[in-house]
Amino acid sequence: MVTKQLKGTPDDADLTRADSLAREIFSDVANKWAFLIIESLGERTLRFSELRNEIEGISHKMLTQNLRMLERNGLVERTVHPTVPPRVEYTLTEPGRGLRATVDGMCAWTHRYLGHIEASRSRFDT
């Protein structure tokens, strides 16, 4: 993905504009793997293997790509400890914890309306 070098103008925060930085950020973080990583980290610090064990079905490649994207956007902090082999840990930054509140809300919404959605799908699919 080519990143535009925007300077924080009001147009940059306009999700309706195709060239806005806000839309690019939204596109980055609005995916199931990013949400699951953010939810799994929560208030904890985890190593790569611990995160992978927490998130059923995520591949090594997808976890790596999403952690890099979250780090690039300042939502996850990566800490490398100088050991042999190196120990790498991930934790949410302040903006990441702020986004987690939104993710938690989406999780709560899912739990609240799961039965309704299942019933609707059942009616639709028959």
Side-chain angles (χ1 to χ4, degrees):
M1 171 183 277
V2 175
T3 302
K4 297 159 193 65
Q5 299 299 316
L6 302 174
K7 303 295 182 199
T9 66
D11 288 342
D12 298 339
D14 184 356
L15 283 174
T16 63
R17 291 178 52 99
D19 64 345
S20 75
L21 181 57
R23 187 183 280 193
E24 182 180 332
I25 294 166
F26 188 79
S27 177
D28 279 352
V29 300
N31 75 72
K32 69 178 176 181
W33 298 126
F35 279 9
L36 291 171
I37 291 166
I38 290 166
E39 186 64 20
S40 293
L41 282 172
E43 297 296 324
R44 304 181 294 171
T45 297
L46 296 174
R47 296 177 70 176
F48 184 93
S49 59
E50 292 171 324
L51 265 172
R52 188 159 179 214
N53 291 337
E54 289 271 329
I55 305 169
E56 189 175 324
I58 193 167
S59 68
H60 186 280
K61 178 181 176 180
M62 288 309 299
L63 182 55
T64 299
Q65 287 177 348
N66 277 275
L67 283 169
R68 286 181 182 163
M69 174 272 298
L70 291 168
E71 184 181 8
R72 178 175 178 262
N73 283 308
L75 303 173
V76 167
E77 183 179 359
R78 179 179 183 263
T79 304
V80 180
H81 298 277
T83 59
V84 177
R87 189 176 87 231
V88 181
E89 297 176 328
Y90 298 90
T91 190
L92 293 178
T93 62
E94 183 182 342
R97 289 189 300 275
L99 181 56
R100 181 171 175 245
T102 299
V103 172
D104 286 348
M106 292 187 70
C107 290
W109 174 88
T110 302
H111 289 292
R112 181 174 180 182
Y113 292 107
L114 188 62
H116 174 84
I117 293 167
E118 285 179 322
S120 181
R121 285 182 171 193
S122 178
R123 286 190 306 274
F124 187 85
D125 293 341
T126 57

